[in-house]
Amino acid sequence: MAREELTRLTGNGNGNGTCGKDDCPNVYRTASGSFVVQGDVSDAFKAPEGEGLVEIPEETLREAVRALGW
């Protein structure tokens, strides 16, 4: 799936202004309602085959929740 097919919930200039580009932590929503998270690769533990771990700031997650109206 291409980034253009996702709804970007964070980093749209609505937050603190530190994440206005595509190369920083972001949360996206897919057409099916699931989420794609972009962040720094984490090595907190070994993820199962086919999965990966990313680390995002708390503020990015809070911004995504606000964007969804939760």
Side-chain angles (χ1 to χ4, degrees):
M1 121 183 16
R3 183 181 290 183
E4 294 77 27
E5 298 175 59
L6 304 171
T7 301
R8 188 171 171 176
L9 300 175
T10 59
N12 294 316
N14 299 328
N16 60 11
T18 62
C19 197
K21 299 189 181 215
D22 292 336
D23 61 351
C24 55
N26 279 301
V27 177
Y28 301 86
R29 192 161 198 186
T30 68
S32 66
S34 62
F35 298 92
V36 174
V37 178
Q38 175 187 356
D40 294 327
V41 175
S42 174
D43 60 359
F45 62 89
K46 183 168 175 39
E49 184 72 30
E51 296 183 6
L53 303 175
V54 297
E55 185 173 342
I56 61 170
E58 180 180 331
E59 181 54 37
T60 301
L61 187 56
R62 288 180 182 274
E63 185 180 349
V65 169
R66 281 193 299 270
L68 291 167
W70 292 354

